[in-house]
């Protein structure tokens, strides 16, 4: 029940799920790169799903579906939030543990069970869910529709209900802990940006995930109880189905009401981690701390009123489309504020290019290049042409997929010494960064041009249409880039698991950072601090403060110990401390005057 152990459990489970998700993507990239070739090795591993060494069309859809589900939910939601919320919230706010350690442990074990069920769906006869990670009906609502609509889809739904229960348990715990268990002196404006980001992510999860549960429960009713929430006017093999009156569009509303906050549940923790790591490694205070917090709050609020931009082509009223278009373009503003503040934090900083810092800067790069294409897709008239093409795939894999993965890796490299008491190998970290950074751009950037040419996503092969054949060479190139990028992850896996046991022993504060987690013992004990919990006197970003002998001042250092570097605004709301500072300055100046006279 110790939060640090639960964080490691989330991280290692997340890494295992990420490897599985990545292998699935390599399988369907092989199909897309070489659609007419057979690979006998595929039959050896996949059996009836790849008879004659070629992946079957049904199984291709299953690979795409489970890859998307694993990466969005099991890696970037649970693996990212689960790991860093558990590790950092008690350590950075100065708490012994979470508000409810038991609920915390239950949250992990439900996530683990959900992961097992999701992977188990590969071993049922009809195969795993194949309706895409968005599981739109009627494909997901009719067990007879395709082979993956049977038991595999049922297991997908069961797994997701458990996953959401796990997410809600975790989120309620994170919110309670941050609001109620901060140490003495730690007011909201002294919290690191990591904690703000994790707090608002938890709020998003609590408000949006229940809507998906509602949608999933109604889908289970349609599948098993003969209801018609999402079904109407359907014909299968010449037979008219009895279901009447339902609307598949209703499911899209319920799904995307979670689905859009979900992309911010994925990216906001990564943003918080990148902000912290950049400030530490640029040796500068974070630029615009209050603006960063307000932009996170802005994203949290606005993310609930933009979901319709996923549905511009469903035949929605153009006026409603216009409303969603405006809110979508407005949500780009707080995102841009964060980007400018990151760049201003780096500007003229005394930058230390640790592997964590490289991944933080990589996140900003992906966030900018992927975010710009979001302006195209957020525009209703342009989206009609681009919807369901590879342009969409390129957009969200850069802005959400790659950026969030880089945030997660940045956090792993930075807090590894706190988790395991050892250091990761820097050289392998740099190798991992460059292979992953170039690999991701080479995989996803060409897809923009495929999308602009109208190449649809989720197609099994592009050999049927003349105008798509010209993209076969690009598909080959992308597949090779994906394979090389996947091989680059071997450097990380070796570095991670080898360093847990054989890495160089870490010191208490290896990065010379200000936040409270670096005041705890290296070995990591129950309750975090052996004696009293330290009090907090200052914000977490006092780096390179003029007049101080070191380039960092930890949060638990009182102002009385840093008289030479204190500034007037440090004492807002604390007149007593201000009086002492003024007296010290007078005596200091009179001492200097005496020296000068002598």
């Amino acid at each position: 029940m110790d939060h640090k152990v639960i964080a490691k459990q989330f991280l290692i489970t997340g890494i295992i799920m990420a490897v599985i998700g990545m292998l699935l993507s390599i399988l369907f990239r092989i199909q897309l790169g070489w659609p007419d070739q057979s690979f006998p090795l595929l039959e050896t591993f996949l059996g009836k799903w790849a008879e004659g060494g070629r992946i079957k069309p049904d199984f291709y859809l299953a690979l795409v579906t489970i890859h998307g589900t694993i990466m969005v939910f099991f890696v970037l939601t649970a693996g990212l939030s689960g790991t860093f919320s558990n590790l950092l919230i008690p350590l950075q706010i100065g708490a012994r543990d979470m508000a409810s350690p038991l609920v915390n442990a239950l949250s992990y074990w439900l996530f683990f069970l959900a992961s097992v069920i999701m992977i188990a769906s590969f071993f049922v006869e009809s195969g795993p869910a194949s309706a895409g990670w968005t599981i739109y009906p009627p494909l997901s609502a009719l067990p007879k529709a395709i082979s993956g609509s049977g038991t595999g889809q049922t297991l997908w739904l069961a797994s997701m209900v458990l996953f959401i229960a796990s997410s809600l348990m975790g989120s309620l715990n994170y919110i309670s802990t941050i609001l109620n268990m901060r140490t003495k002196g730690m007011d909201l404006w002294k919290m690191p940006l990591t904690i703000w980001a994790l707090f608002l992510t938890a709020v998003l999860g609590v408000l949006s995930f229940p809507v998906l549960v509602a949608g999933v429960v109604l889908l289970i009713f349609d599948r098993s109880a003969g209801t018609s929430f999402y079904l109407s006017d359907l014909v299968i093999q010449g037979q008219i189905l009895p279901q009447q009156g339902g609307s598949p569009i209703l499911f899209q509303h319920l799904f995307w009401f979670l689905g859009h906050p979900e992309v911010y549940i994925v990216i906001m923790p990564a943003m918080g981690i990148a902000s912290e790591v950049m400030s530490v490694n640029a040796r500068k205070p974070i630029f615009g701390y209050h603006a960063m917090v307000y932009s996170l709050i802005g994203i949290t609020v606005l993310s609930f009123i933009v979901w319709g931009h996923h549905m511009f082509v469903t035949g929605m009223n153009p006026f409603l489309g216009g409303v969603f278009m405006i809110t979508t373009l407005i949500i780009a503003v707080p995102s841009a504020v964060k980007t400018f503040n990151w760049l201003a934090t780096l500007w003229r900083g005394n930058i230390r290019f640790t592997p964590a810092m490289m991944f933080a800067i990589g996140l900003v790069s992906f966030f900018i290049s992927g975010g710009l294409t979001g302006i195209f897709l957020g525009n209703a008239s342009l989206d009609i042409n681009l919807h369901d093409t590879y342009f969409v795939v390129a957009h969200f894999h850069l802005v959400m997929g790659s950026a969030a993965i880089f945030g997660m890796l940045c956090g792993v490299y930075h807090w590894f010494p706190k988790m395991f008491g050892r250091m990761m190998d820097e050289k392998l970290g740099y190798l991992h960064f460059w292979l992953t950074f170039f690999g991701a751009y080479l995989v996803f950037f060409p897809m923009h041009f495929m999308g602009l040419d109208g190449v649809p996503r989720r197609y099994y092969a592009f050999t049927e249409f003349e105008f798509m054949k010209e993209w076969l060479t690009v598909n080959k190139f992308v597949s090779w880039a994906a394979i090389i990028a996947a091989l680059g992850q071997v450097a990380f896996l070796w570095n991670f698991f080898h360093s847990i046991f054989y890495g160089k022993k870490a010191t208490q504060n290896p990065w010379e950072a200000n936040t409270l987690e670096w005041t705890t013992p290296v070995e990591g004990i129950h309750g975090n601090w052996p004696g009293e919990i330290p009090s907090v006197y200052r914000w977490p970003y006092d780096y390179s403060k003029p007049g101080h002998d070191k380039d960092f001042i930890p949060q638990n250092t009182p102002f009385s110990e840093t008289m030479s570097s204190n500034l007037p605004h440090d004492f807002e709301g604390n007149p007593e401390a201000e009086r002492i500072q003024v007296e010290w300055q007078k005596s200091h100046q009179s001492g200097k005057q005496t020296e000068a006279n002598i």
Side-chain angles (χ1 to χ4, degrees):
M1 292 198 289
D2 187 289
H3 70 98
K4 298 181 290 297
V5 174
I6 294 170
K8 292 177 198 174
Q9 291 174 318
F10 267 108
L11 178 60
I12 290 170
T13 311
I15 287 172
I16 291 166
M17 293 300 276
V19 169
I20 294 169
M22 186 177 71
L23 290 174
L24 300 181
S25 70
I26 296 303
L27 287 174
F28 62 71
R29 277 308 332 168
I30 288 171
Q31 164 58 33
L32 290 171
W34 299 275
D36 293 329
Q37 275 174 256
S38 62
F39 299 90
L41 198 62
L42 289 179
E43 189 170 10
T44 311
F45 282 109
L46 302 175
K48 68 170 184 176
W49 301 115
E51 277 171 2
R54 287 186 66 189
I55 290 171
K56 284 188 170 176
D58 276 7
F59 193 64
Y60 173 83
L61 292 176
L63 290 173
V64 173
T65 301
I66 305 296
H67 163 77
T69 306
I70 283 178
M71 298 311 271
V72 172
F73 294 111
F74 291 78
V75 179
L76 294 176
T77 303
L80 182 54
S81 283
T83 300
F84 293 105
S85 298
N86 277 301
L87 179 71
L88 297 179
I89 288 172
L91 287 171
Q92 288 195 337
I93 66 169
R96 297 284 182 202
D97 207 307
M98 282 289 177
S100 170
L102 176 64
V103 170
N104 214 21
L106 275 176
S107 162
Y108 169 72
W109 288 109
L110 280 180
F111 163 60
F112 179 78
L113 189 58
S115 305
V116 170
I117 292 172
M118 189 60 74
I119 301 306
S121 69
F122 275 100
F123 301 97
V124 296
E125 195 177 349
S126 54
S130 309
W133 77 276
T134 54
I135 58 155
Y136 282 179
L139 212 51
S140 58
L142 291 171
K144 298 188 289 251
I146 52 173
S147 59
S149 301
T151 316
Q153 183 65 57
T154 306
L155 289 170
W156 191 100
L157 295 166
S159 169
M160 281 311 297
V161 169
L162 288 170
F163 176 85
I164 294 166
S166 150
S167 169
L168 289 173
M169 283 177 165
S171 295
L172 291 169
N173 221 349
Y174 308 150
I175 293 167
S176 311
T177 308
I178 292 169
L179 292 181
N180 299 318
M181 297 178 69
R182 301 189 304 278
T183 186
K184 188 181 172 196
M186 174 71 80
D187 62 39
L188 293 177
W189 293 114
K190 291 196 182 84
M191 295 199 311
L193 287 170
T194 34
I195 300 298
W196 271 107
L198 294 166
F199 171 63
L200 292 164
T201 301
V203 170
L204 271 181
V206 166
L207 295 177
S208 62
F209 266 122
V211 180
L212 184 61
V213 174
V216 162
V217 168
L218 299 185
L219 187 56
I220 291 169
F221 285 166
D222 271 13
R223 289 172 58 78
S224 312
T227 56
S228 302
F229 291 106
Y230 309 130
L231 299 172
S232 188
D233 306 320
L234 287 160
V235 179
I236 290 191
Q237 293 169 345
Q239 180 194 349
I240 298 171
L241 298 188
Q243 281 96 340
Q244 281 295 323
S247 165
I249 305 299
L250 169 62
F251 179 84
Q252 293 192 28
H253 280 292
L254 293 172
F255 182 88
W256 288 115
F257 190 83
L258 155 87
H260 203 81
E262 167 63 21
V263 304
Y264 291 104
I265 289 170
V266 162
I267 198 68
M268 277 185 6
M271 289 171 159
I273 288 166
S275 303
E276 174 69 25
V277 169
M278 273 189 213
S279 184
V280 171
N281 288 300
R283 311 312 290 165
K284 267 181 70 180
I286 192 81
F287 187 90
Y289 173 83
H290 285 79
M292 288 295 237
V293 172
Y294 287 127
S295 66
L296 281 170
I297 294 168
I299 287 171
T300 303
V301 173
L302 286 168
S303 70
F304 283 105
I305 50 172
V306 296
W307 81 90
H309 66 217
H310 297 269
M311 301 170 59
F312 285 143
V313 296
T314 56
M316 68 159 60
N317 184 322
F319 173 75
L320 191 57
V323 171
F324 279 123
M325 182 175 90
I326 290 164
T327 56
T328 301
L329 297 178
I330 290 172
I331 205 170
V333 175
S335 304
V337 167
K338 300 195 79 59
T339 304
F340 288 126
N341 285 358
W342 285 324
L343 296 176
T345 303
L346 295 174
W347 175 248
R348 302 188 73 178
N350 183 16
I351 298 176
R352 302 187 304 199
F353 289 103
T354 63
M357 184 61 158
M358 302 291 276
F359 277 99
I361 295 168
L363 175 144
V364 179
S365 168
F366 285 124
F367 193 69
I368 293 170
S369 55
L372 288 173
T373 56
I375 297 170
F376 289 61
L377 293 168
N379 189 313
S381 52
L382 286 174
D383 183 68
I384 288 166
N385 292 305
L386 296 172
H387 185 82
D388 256 346
T389 67
Y390 265 83
F391 195 89
V392 178
V393 179
H395 160 70
F396 76 77
H397 277 87
L398 286 176
V399 77
M400 183 183 87
S402 302
I405 286 280
F406 268 55
M408 186 172 173
L409 291 167
C410 158
V412 171
Y413 280 102
H414 189 74
W415 281 288
F416 189 88
K418 191 79 267 160
M419 278 193 266
F420 298 103
R422 291 177 183 272
M423 305 295 284
M424 288 178 84
D425 184 295
E426 266 201 353
K427 287 191 177 68
L428 280 175
Y430 294 132
L431 174 71
H432 176 220
F433 170 78
W434 289 113
L435 282 173
T436 313
F437 182 76
F438 283 119
Y441 267 127
L442 292 174
V443 168
F444 300 118
F445 211 78
M447 292 183 185
H448 291 106
F449 305 104
M450 293 170 67
L452 288 169
D453 196 35
V455 177
R457 61 196 284 205
R458 295 185 175 141
Y459 274 34
Y460 167 71
F462 297 118
T463 47
E464 303 296 315
F465 301 91
E466 274 310 310
F467 87 97
M468 293 185 202
K469 282 185 180 172
E470 66 192 56
W471 293 102
L472 279 173
T473 49
V474 173
N475 260 320
K476 266 197 189 64
F477 172 81
V478 167
S479 292
W480 274 119
I483 290 164
I484 292 163
L487 290 173
Q489 305 318 303
V490 175
F492 169 73
L493 293 170
W494 167 260
N495 196 357
F496 182 84
F497 289 106
H498 184 262
S499 299
I500 288 175
F501 303 104
Y502 304 109
K504 193 178 90 184
K505 286 261 172 73
T507 54
Q508 187 178 24
N509 188 358
W511 314 121
E512 299 184 318
N514 291 341
T515 41
L516 288 182
E517 75 269 31
W518 305 108
T519 62
T520 62
V522 179
E523 52 278 359
I525 54 169
H526 284 307
N528 298 334
W529 289 269
E532 239 178 274
I533 298 177
S535 296
V536 166
Y537 299 94
R538 56 182 74 234
W539 78 321
Y541 300 109
D542 268 340
Y543 292 105
S544 303
K545 206 170 180 188
H548 194 64
D549 54 343
K550 288 184 177 160
D551 68 352
F552 70 107
I553 310 174
Q555 278 191 283
N556 60 331
T557 307
F559 285 111
S560 58
E561 291 176 21
T562 57
M563 289 297 198
S564 58
S565 64
N566 291 348
L567 298 167
H569 67 74
D570 289 333
F571 303 106
E572 279 171 16
N574 190 347
E576 179 59 22
E578 194 170 2
R579 185 183 62 76
I580 294 166
Q581 178 72 14
V582 169
E583 282 175 10
W584 179 85
Q585 280 172 335
K586 279 180 187 167
S587 65
H588 197 61
Q589 279 165 350
S590 65
K592 276 187 177 172
Q593 189 62 49
T594 312
E595 273 177 39
N597 293 342
I598 292 166

